[in-house]
Amino acid sequence: NAGVMQNPRHLVRRRGQEARLRCSPMKGHSHVYWYRQLPEEGLKFMVYLQKENIIDESGMPKERFSAEFPKEGPSILRIQQVVRGDSAAYFCASLPPAGGTDTQYFGPGTRLTVL
Amino acid sequence: GDSVTQMEGPVTLSEEAFLTINCTYTATGYPSLFWYVQYPGEGLQLLLKATKADDKGSNKGFEATYRKETTSFHLEKGSVQVSDSAVYFCALNNRDDKIIFGKGTRLHILP
């Protein structure tokens, strides 16, 4: 049973470019969470999605950031017009349908570097 | 709002030493508490968890007890190994599934 998968593992972008980060949850998991880890900091919640729905995006910046979790395929975190301050590790976590457990399982992360 | 505070690192110990990493939390209600570990260049792995007061989570020789009276969830291990060198995160989930993390404690174990 594969764990949470994220790609790419490392992504380098120049200022002003777009970054697309992908997350495939564990098999049978329908809830996806994105977190951002700045250098030497803990993880901060960004957004919570279920299939085709954004449930809670209270931790995501209002501009340049968007997330989706389509009916088919991975969840995508999209950052438009990246700036140096977006350099961070972005982690995705997944959870089975409601009532299963409250333990989130994390992917290996995507380390974004903005030049 | 809910928060987690853990001891700042880095913590440097010799192999076979006793480890304690302090963690306290602030939350309404009855959150679940977690310790996650992050090895260099990797993602977070769940180390242990506890879901209610007085529960003890344990794994790989690590233990932590959910103490509601002191709002604490300190991580302990009786004899650390070099392979335990990593960053340890204390975290809580207060039923809304937005995990709140502490800032992490970097642990160095010297041979």
Side-chain angles (χ1 to χ4, degrees):
Chain A
N1 188 14
V4 178
M5 298 173 67
Q6 291 186 249
N7 65 81
R9 294 290 305 274
H10 300 275
L11 182 61
V12 179
R13 286 287 178 266
R14 296 190 181 280
R15 281 179 297 170
Q17 291 184 320
E18 178 179 286
R20 282 190 180 229
L21 289 62
R22 287 176 288 278
C23 168
S24 296
M26 288 181 72
K27 187 176 181 181
H29 287 197
S30 56
H31 300 206
V32 166
Y33 303 78
W34 286 94
Y35 294 82
R36 178 165 62 177
Q37 183 183 30
L38 295 171
E40 304 302 319
E41 294 281 329
L43 280 70
K44 296 285 196 302
F45 168 80
M46 297 181 74
V47 60
Y48 162 35
L49 309 105
Q50 296 178 18
K51 286 282 188 182
E52 300 184 283
N53 282 307
I54 296 175
I55 307 302
D56 184 340
E57 55 183 349
S58 59
M60 198 156 68
K62 296 288 186 287
E63 298 181 355
R64 302 189 297 107
F65 285 73
S66 62
E68 63 177 8
F69 189 16
K71 188 176 180 181
E72 301 291 337
S75 176
I76 306 286
L77 179 67
R78 183 181 176 208
I79 312 172
Q80 296 178 289
Q81 299 177 312
V82 295
V83 301
R84 289 227 173 97
D86 297 332
S87 295
Y90 292 83
F91 290 95
C92 159
S94 74
L95 196 65
T101 176
D102 63 353
T103 300
Q104 295 182 16
Y105 292 89
F106 284 79
T110 294
R111 281 161 178 79
L112 172 65
T113 301
V114 179
L115 301 177
Chain B
D2 297 348
S3 66
V4 174
T5 303
Q6 60 182 107
M7 63 189 290
E8 293 194 20
V11 172
T12 302
L13 296 172
S14 297
E15 203 166 23
E16 299 184 3
F18 183 86
L19 168 71
T20 300
I21 301 179
N22 290 338
C23 171
T24 57
Y25 68 91
T26 301
T28 55
Y30 302 92
S32 294
L33 301 176
F34 305 83
W35 277 99
Y36 282 88
V37 57
Q38 185 178 32
Y39 296 102
E42 298 186 12
L44 273 71
Q45 299 176 25
L46 177 67
L47 181 60
L48 53 85
K49 65 179 280 191
T51 58
K52 61 184 188 296
D54 299 325
D55 267 3
K56 178 187 281 188
S58 61
N59 185 26
K60 299 181 182 180
F62 291 89
E63 293 183 341
T65 301
Y66 190 145
R67 300 280 188 210
K68 188 150 181 70
E69 63 276 14
T70 54
T71 62
S72 65
F73 194 55
H74 305 321
L75 182 68
E76 296 182 337
K77 186 175 185 182
S79 177
V80 292
Q81 306 300 315
V82 172
S83 57
D84 294 326
S85 298
V87 181
Y88 292 80
F89 292 95
C90 185
L92 69 83
N93 183 346
N94 203 359
R95 313 301 176 203
D96 65 358
D97 289 328
K98 287 187 286 190
I99 296 184
I100 309 294
F101 287 88
K103 289 191 173 183
T105 302
R106 187 175 298 276
L107 175 65
H108 294 293
I109 306 300
L110 304 175

